[in-house]
């Protein structure tokens, strides 16, 4: 699955525990699961009335439908609307919830409620207040509220109306949170601690909330009990109560240093408070590598915040084998620290804190023992364990679970592939991933694929009833693949499989396993057709991504023995199939011609595309400015390490030399063919990007190039360009098999590409009109959902 971790980026930016969780979680999902994760952050100004409202509205209007699942952790990101939205709450806007009635004067008054301010009384607010009083509001109420807020924005209202913090903005935030976190909007709820899970008004009533303690992303921590000083790392803010630690430490005997890392609003006051105690040293900001050393060489770590959500400092100290001293009202910290076993938990008063610190400093043997136990307590708090638990409910959408239960067991379709499918990056991967995912609504779909040598065998569950079972290549297969590539100069991983499939015993075992309850087999490409010999005599569908003979002939014309393997495999797949699927009418006609195939046994299921939300013009201007493009036009080409794409890049090299006023970007594995070659200064190669970053590149571009003159099938890059609203410049051959023509794209032979690029810049209105027409056609005709329905109908006929 493609998972989005959706978060706010605070303005002004600070790197706190929340931000560290975001970065660590995305990396961990990508490293320790079969899923692909991306982090999307939207700036939110958290210190003003309108900044908060604008932040909530941005997230409420965001379209992330191209992700399979979304995880939000913090306000206002949970306003996103997505059918598979999961909430893992760090905290709400605490100043409007659990801390709203907490007086800020000092520790001794923290539990004394402040008098709530009355709601401002002004006629302009009457419609807004009426909306806020509605029980169980939904998104229609939310939209009405945003509209009314826009109405009053330009008015000169009394200062107390938009006071921040204030009763009106508090009521608005409560209202919006109730909409975004409603059970109808969220598939599952989780919290970073029991403290957060049990706070009033944090979660809807009667909804289960899982508590999942997350690990730290700080690397290099190893258990090392014992040390020479006390150490704490904290934002120097009032709620962290560092002033209490300094006051208590003044009563601790001895000369053990007390080191304090961190910055914040209280730093000046705290340094002045500790000026008379030379043992107390303020370190300010420290980088991660220095922070690790400070933990490792400390004796113990005191950390006594008031009602902390979680407290990463606690986890980091314990991983370093250091006992933590905390207070009974420190919230999430107390969920990890057990007094007298792996740390100290004392009352939040100076005398008890001082006594606990004294025990840690004077009884070193006991402190070291506590440190050993602390390390043991968090030994299983690791990213692999956390990702497994977090994604337990994320992997399968709620709607899909209920649909499956209502329909009972489904028939299984087994799809064979000579390459891995997920994550889907190149054209063939995208076709298989998106087309067969659509079939999973009615069938169990299992893809059995060959992975890279030395990769792990993996059963990658991508959704309910949709899985890829990937088996690595054997050494013999990899050697043969390299030999063929050295001999021919092109990628030959597919051709290798025609002869060496039987030598991969683990692959054959996996195939046999999944065929046991299959109703149909799909050959995606023809090269594994003989792997079915003796294992399967039921229906076979051949999904012909290309006419393989025509595709390979230009590159294998001097290698008759290898080309013969291609022809034999394609002929065998066509002969074996109950249905042959082509990507275009041209390919269908050619296959019928080559193999004397009855057209009634064929159909056309074109390549498709996922819907893409458009960028507005202002956003595009900002994006191009950030990329350093300004007014300079940018031409983009995308392609895998595939013969026709290699030829196309050679043409683009010549274009780049002839058009120095343009920038050119080439994305994808095709760049491997040009690693040893010098390229024009105005041309860059870009690694294959995640979908969100690819969308940004295509949105910023001026033209999508498709200088293709050879090959078979259809060019999916053209559909990608069109879906993103990017004007297309293509050869006539590059549009084969698609309904796109001069009404939707700039269509020219290669010799006229340069002049066509000049015209695109001179007449941007006409170019944009073509792009809009292409986008509309693609949305109507080539979305994967539409194509999947066509495929399902034909499949029912075959079965």
């Amino acid at each position: 699955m493609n998972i989005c971790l959706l978060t706010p980026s605070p303005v002004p930016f600070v790197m706190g525990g929340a931000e560290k969780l975001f970065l660590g979680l995305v990396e961990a999902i990508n490293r320790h699961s079969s899923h692909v994760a991306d982090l999307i952050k939207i700036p939110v100004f958290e210190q003003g009335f309108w900044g908060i409202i604008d932040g909530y509205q941005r997230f409420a209007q965001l379209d992330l439908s191209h992700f399979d699942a979304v995880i939000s952790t913090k306000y206002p990101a949970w306003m996103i609307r997505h059918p598979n939205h999961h909430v893992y709450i760090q905290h709400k806007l605490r100043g409007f919830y659990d801390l709203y009635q907490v007086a800020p004067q000092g520790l001794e008054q923290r539990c004394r409620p402040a008098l709530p301010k009355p709601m401002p009384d002004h006629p302009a607010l009457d419609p807004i207040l009426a909306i806020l009083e509605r029980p169980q509001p939904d998104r229609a109420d939310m939209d009405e509220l945003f509209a009314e807020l826009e109405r009053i924005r330009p008015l000169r209202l009394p200062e107390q109306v938009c006071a921040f913090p204030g009763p009106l903005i508090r009521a608005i935030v409560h209202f919006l949170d109730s909409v975004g976190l409603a059970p109808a909007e969220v598939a599952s709820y989780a919290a970073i601690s029991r403290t957060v899970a049990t706070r009033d008004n944090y979660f809807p009533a009667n909804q289960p909330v899982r508590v999942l303690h997350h690990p730290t992303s700080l690397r290099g921590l190893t258990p090392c009990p014992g040390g020479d000083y006390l150490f704490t790392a904290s934002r120097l803010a009032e709620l962290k109560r560092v002033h209490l630690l300094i006051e208590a430490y003044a009563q601790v005997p001895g000369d053990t240093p007390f080191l304090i890392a961190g910055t914040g609003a209280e730093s000046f006051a705290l340094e002045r408070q500790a000026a008379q105690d030379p043992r107390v040293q303020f370190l300010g900001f420290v980088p991660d590598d220095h922070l690790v050393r400070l933990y490792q060489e400390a004796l113990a770590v005191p950390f006594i915040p008031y009602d902390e959500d979680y407290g990463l400092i606690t986890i980091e100290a314990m991983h370093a084998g250091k006992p933590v001293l905390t207070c009974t009202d420190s919230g999430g910290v107390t969920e990890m620290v057990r007094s007298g076993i792996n740390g100290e938990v004392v009352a939040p008063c100076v005398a008890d804190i001082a006594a606990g610190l004294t025990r840690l400093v004077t009884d070193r043997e006991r402190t070291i023992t506590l440190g050993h136990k602390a390390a043991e307590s968090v030994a299983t708090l690791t990213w692999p364990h956390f990702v497994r638990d977090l994604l337990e409910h994320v992997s399968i959408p709620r709607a899909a679970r209920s649909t499956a239960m209502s329909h009972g067991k489904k028939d299984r379709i087994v799809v064979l592939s000579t390459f891995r499918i997920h994550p889907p990056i190149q054209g063939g991967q995208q076709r298989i991933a998106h087309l067969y995912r659509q079939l999973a609504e009615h069938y169990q779909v299992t893809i059995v694929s060959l992975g890279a040598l030395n990769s792990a065998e993996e059963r990658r569950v991508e959704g309910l009833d949709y899985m890829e079972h990937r088996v690595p290549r054997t050494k013999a297969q990899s050697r043969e693949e390299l030999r063929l590539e050295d001999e021919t100069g092109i990628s030959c991983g597919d051709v290798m499989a025609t002869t060496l499939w039987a030598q991969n015993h683990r692959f054959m075992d996996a195939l046999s396993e999944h065929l046991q309850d299959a109703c149909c087999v799909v050959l995606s490409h023809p090269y594994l057709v003989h792997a079915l010999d003796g294992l399967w005599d039921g229906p076979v569908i051949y999904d012909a991504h290309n006419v393989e003979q025509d595709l390979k002939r230009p590159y294998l014309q001097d290698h008759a023995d290898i080309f013969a393997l291609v022809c034999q495999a394609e002929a065998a797949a066509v002969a074996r199939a109950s249905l042959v699927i082509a990507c275009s009418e041209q390919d269908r006609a050619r296959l019928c011609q080559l193999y004397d195939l009855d057209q009634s046994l064929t159909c056309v299921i074109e390549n498709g595309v996922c819907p893409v939300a458009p960028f507005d013009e202002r956003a595009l201007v900002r994006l191009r400015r950030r990329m350093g493009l300004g007014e300079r036009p940018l031409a983009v080409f995308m392609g895998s390490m595939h013969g026709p794409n290699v030829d196309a890049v050679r043409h683009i090299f010549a274009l780049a030399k002839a058009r120095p006023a343009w920038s050119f970007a080439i994305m994808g594995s095709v760049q491997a063919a040009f690693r040893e070659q010098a390229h024009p200064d105005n041309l860059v190669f870009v690694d294959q990007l995640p979908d969100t970053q690819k969308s940004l590149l295509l949105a910023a571009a001026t033209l999508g190039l498709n200088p293709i003159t050879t090959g078979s099938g259809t060019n999916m890059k053209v559909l990608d360009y069109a879906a993103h609203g990017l004007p297309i410049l293509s050869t006539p051959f590059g549009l084969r098999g698609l309904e796109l023509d001069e009404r939707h794209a700039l269509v020219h032979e290669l010799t006229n590409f340069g002049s066509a690029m000049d015209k695109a810049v001179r007449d941007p209105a006409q170019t944009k009109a073509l792009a809009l027409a292409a986008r509309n056609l693609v949305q109507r005709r080539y979305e994967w959902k539409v194509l999947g329905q066509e495929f399902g109908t034909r499949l029912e006929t075959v079965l």
Side-chain angles (χ1 to χ4, degrees):
M1 286 177 49
N2 296 321
I3 300 174
C4 170
L5 179 60
L6 182 63
T7 72
S9 178
V11 179
F13 179 76
V14 291
M15 178 60 76
E19 288 67 35
K20 291 179 179 179
L21 169 61
F22 305 154
L23 296 175
L25 179 54
V26 167
E27 180 183 4
I29 291 175
N30 289 325
R31 176 176 293 185
H32 301 299
S33 82
S34 60
H35 306 292
V36 179
D38 198 4
L39 175 63
I40 293 182
K41 303 181 74 173
I42 295 179
V44 176
F45 181 68
E46 300 182 353
Q47 303 302 318
F49 183 97
W50 292 109
I52 288 292
I53 289 173
D54 289 343
Y56 271 85
Q57 190 167 18
R58 287 191 197 104
F59 280 99
Q61 295 173 344
L62 195 60
D63 180 5
L64 294 179
S65 57
H66 58 296
F67 284 96
D68 301 311
V70 175
I71 301 173
S72 63
T73 71
K74 190 179 177 183
Y75 68 91
W78 47 62
M79 298 307 296
I80 183 68
R81 187 168 198 174
H82 192 279
N84 197 17
H85 175 207
H86 301 260
V87 175
Y88 177 51
I89 289 189
Q90 295 173 289
H91 60 79
K92 286 189 169 181
L93 210 170
R94 296 189 67 187
F96 294 154
Y97 283 90
D98 47 297
L99 296 180
Y100 183 65
Q101 293 185 332
V102 172
Q105 285 80 6
L107 173 71
E108 66 283 354
Q109 299 176 352
R110 288 209 182 270
C111 295
R112 186 183 73 190
L115 294 176
K117 298 176 182 178
M119 186 70 73
D121 184 15
H122 193 282
L125 297 183
D126 290 346
I128 292 174
L129 297 179
I131 295 171
L132 294 177
E133 291 173 359
R134 294 175 185 174
Q136 299 180 326
D138 58 19
R139 288 191 177 260
D141 299 311
M142 175 195 72
D143 291 339
E144 193 175 344
L145 175 64
F146 283 136
E148 287 296 330
L149 289 168
E150 284 303 308
R151 178 183 59 81
I152 71 166
R153 190 191 290 255
L155 302 181
R156 289 191 170 185
L157 298 173
E159 186 176 337
Q160 64 268 25
V161 170
C162 297
F164 187 89
L168 178 59
I169 187 63
R170 177 176 183 264
I172 291 171
V173 167
H174 276 247
F175 176 94
L176 294 173
D177 284 347
S178 67
V179 172
L181 293 173
E185 301 284 339
V186 178
S188 71
Y189 300 92
I192 61 173
S193 66
R194 286 192 299 275
T195 299
V196 171
T198 56
R199 282 178 181 155
D200 292 341
N201 299 317
Y202 262 45
F203 294 90
N206 303 317
Q207 294 297 315
V209 180
R210 295 186 298 157
V211 174
L212 300 173
H213 294 141
H214 66 79
T216 177
S217 56
L218 188 63
R219 296 174 177 172
L221 294 170
T222 55
C224 187
D228 303 321
Y229 50 81
L230 296 183
F231 171 65
T232 193
S234 174
R235 182 162 42 88
L236 302 184
E238 197 170 24
L239 288 178
K240 303 301 182 181
R241 298 193 297 201
V242 179
H243 68 285
L244 268 188
L245 283 176
I246 294 173
E247 186 177 351
Y249 198 62
Q251 301 179 18
V252 175
D255 57 1
T256 301
F258 180 20
L259 309 186
I260 301 172
T263 60
E266 297 287 303
S267 57
F268 178 76
L270 294 172
E271 289 181 26
R272 186 171 57 183
Q273 179 188 357
Q276 303 304 313
D277 191 340
R279 300 174 301 170
V280 180
Q281 303 173 36
F282 290 89
L283 306 178
F285 168 79
V286 296
D288 283 356
D289 55 350
H290 188 195
L291 183 60
V292 169
R293 291 198 302 273
L294 288 168
Y295 277 127
Q296 297 286 103
E297 297 171 7
L299 177 63
V301 175
F303 183 51
I304 60 167
Y306 172 74
D307 196 30
E308 185 79 357
D309 303 315
Y310 184 44
L312 267 180
I313 294 165
T314 310
I315 306 303
E316 292 166 354
M318 296 174 79
H319 273 297
K322 312 301 174 182
V324 173
L325 178 141
T326 194
C327 291
T328 53
D329 65 348
S330 288
V333 183
T334 63
E335 298 173 32
M336 293 292 180
V337 181
R338 292 174 291 167
S339 193
I341 298 176
N342 63 6
E344 295 274 6
V345 182
V346 300
C349 63
V350 171
D352 285 18
I353 296 170
L357 292 173
T358 300
R359 287 193 295 272
L360 292 173
V361 169
T362 57
D363 192 347
R364 290 180 58 86
E365 184 175 345
R366 175 178 177 272
T367 300
I368 290 173
T369 300
L370 294 176
H372 282 294
K373 292 295 183 181
E376 293 174 5
S377 300
V378 295
T380 60
L381 191 54
T382 62
W383 283 112
H385 286 93
F386 173 69
V387 166
R388 178 200 62 197
D389 294 341
L390 178 66
L391 298 186
E392 179 183 359
H393 291 175
V394 174
S395 296
I396 301 174
R398 176 178 51 193
R401 284 198 294 267
S402 60
T403 299
M405 293 191 326
S406 65
H407 287 116
K409 183 174 175 60
K410 305 174 186 177
D411 291 332
R412 183 185 303 279
I413 294 173
V414 175
V415 183
L416 293 186
S417 172
T418 58
F419 50 85
R420 67 164 182 81
I421 305 305
H422 293 93
I425 297 173
Q426 311 295 358
Q429 294 170 324
Q430 291 183 21
R431 177 177 176 86
I432 297 171
H434 295 301
L435 192 57
Y436 293 95
R437 186 188 295 271
Q438 301 299 324
L439 292 183
E441 293 188 14
H442 304 288
Y443 300 91
Q444 295 184 61
V445 177
T446 300
I447 300 167
V448 184
S449 64
L450 279 171
L453 177 67
N454 296 327
S455 63
E457 182 173 343
E458 184 178 13
R459 295 175 186 249
R460 185 180 176 117
V461 178
E462 292 294 325
L464 187 68
D465 295 328
Y466 180 69
M467 177 186 76
E468 178 183 2
H469 188 164
R470 187 184 307 156
V471 179
R473 282 163 161 73
T474 63
K475 291 182 179 179
Q477 287 178 319
S478 293
R479 282 196 299 268
E480 178 65 4
E481 182 176 355
L482 290 173
R483 185 190 71 79
L484 291 173
E485 289 182 5
D486 288 343
E487 184 176 338
T488 64
I490 64 170
S491 175
C492 287
D494 47 7
V495 182
M496 169 276 298
T498 60
T499 57
L500 294 188
W501 53 268
Q503 294 191 19
N504 194 326
H505 300 298
R506 187 64 204 103
F507 180 86
M508 296 306 298
D509 289 345
L511 177 58
S512 299
E513 171 194 341
H514 296 301
L515 289 177
Q516 293 298 317
D517 59 349
C519 69
C520 179
V521 172
V522 177
L523 291 168
S524 184
H525 295 85
Y527 299 102
L528 286 168
V529 59
H530 294 299
L532 298 176
D533 294 347
L535 291 179
W536 179 253
D537 57 4
V540 172
I541 293 176
Y542 171 37
D543 185 5
H545 293 221
N546 311 281
V547 179
E548 297 296 319
Q549 276 201 47
D550 293 349
L551 176 68
K552 304 284 191 184
R553 182 179 289 107
Y555 308 100
L556 297 178
Q557 56 187 353
D558 296 329
H559 308 279
D561 54 336
I562 301 175
F563 185 61
L565 295 175
V566 174
C567 299
Q568 291 164 10
E570 188 169 51
V574 169
R576 184 78 183 263
S578 307
L579 175 68
V580 175
I581 300 173
C583 291
S584 68
E585 288 291 349
Q586 292 94 321
D587 280 7
R588 173 159 73 169
R590 179 65 173 150
L591 287 167
C592 291
Q593 175 191 11
L594 283 172
Y595 300 108
D596 194 21
L597 181 61
D598 186 340
Q599 187 166 317
S600 65
L601 300 178
T602 68
C603 72
V604 175
I605 304 292
E606 295 93 339
N607 286 318
V609 71
C610 295
V612 179
F615 280 70
D616 64 51
E617 288 298 324
R618 289 177 298 177
L620 287 177
V621 170
R622 293 194 297 270
L623 176 61
R624 288 179 59 84
R625 188 184 303 123
R626 289 203 306 273
M627 295 176 68
L629 291 171
E631 298 299 320
R632 185 179 177 89
L634 170 64
V636 172
F637 176 79
M638 304 188 301
S640 62
M641 182 60 175
H642 185 48
N645 290 329
V646 174
D647 294 339
V649 172
R650 293 193 179 103
H651 292 301
I652 293 174
F653 271 39
L655 268 178
K657 293 175 182 177
R659 291 294 182 279
W662 282 70
S663 294
F664 293 79
I666 297 174
M667 178 171 62
S669 58
V670 67
Q671 64 180 291
F674 300 90
R675 284 181 182 143
E676 306 301 324
Q677 296 184 29
H679 55 78
D681 293 339
N682 58 335
L683 184 149
V684 296
F685 285 105
V686 181
D687 289 334
Q688 188 65 47
L689 300 173
D691 284 346
T692 51
Q693 295 181 36
K694 181 182 78 173
S695 292
L696 290 176
L697 179 62
L698 296 182
T702 310
L703 279 179
L705 299 179
N706 191 42
I708 297 294
T709 57
T710 61
S712 183
T714 57
N715 290 147
M716 292 181 66
K717 60 178 71 64
V718 174
L719 298 175
D720 230 346
Y721 297 155
H724 285 83
L726 177 60
I728 301 163
L729 173 56
S730 176
T731 58
F733 184 84
L735 299 181
R736 70 200 179 283
L738 301 171
E739 294 179 17
L740 295 163
D741 54 30
E742 290 84 355
R743 296 168 298 171
H744 314 93
L746 299 168
V747 185
H748 295 274
E749 298 295 347
L750 287 176
T751 52
N752 295 325
F753 261 43
S755 58
M757 294 172 68
D758 297 337
K759 182 179 178 182
V761 173
R762 288 196 309 270
D763 192 358
Q766 175 62 20
T767 306
K768 287 182 179 179
L770 293 174
L772 180 60
R775 180 186 177 88
N776 291 337
L777 173 65
V778 164
Q779 288 178 335
R780 183 179 72 253
R781 180 67 183 82
Y782 292 107
E783 283 197 8
W784 285 118
K785 186 172 184 178
V786 175
L787 299 171
Q789 291 170 349
E790 294 180 17
F791 191 7
T793 300
R794 292 306 303 257
L795 183 59
E796 289 179 14
T797 303
V798 170
L799 297 181

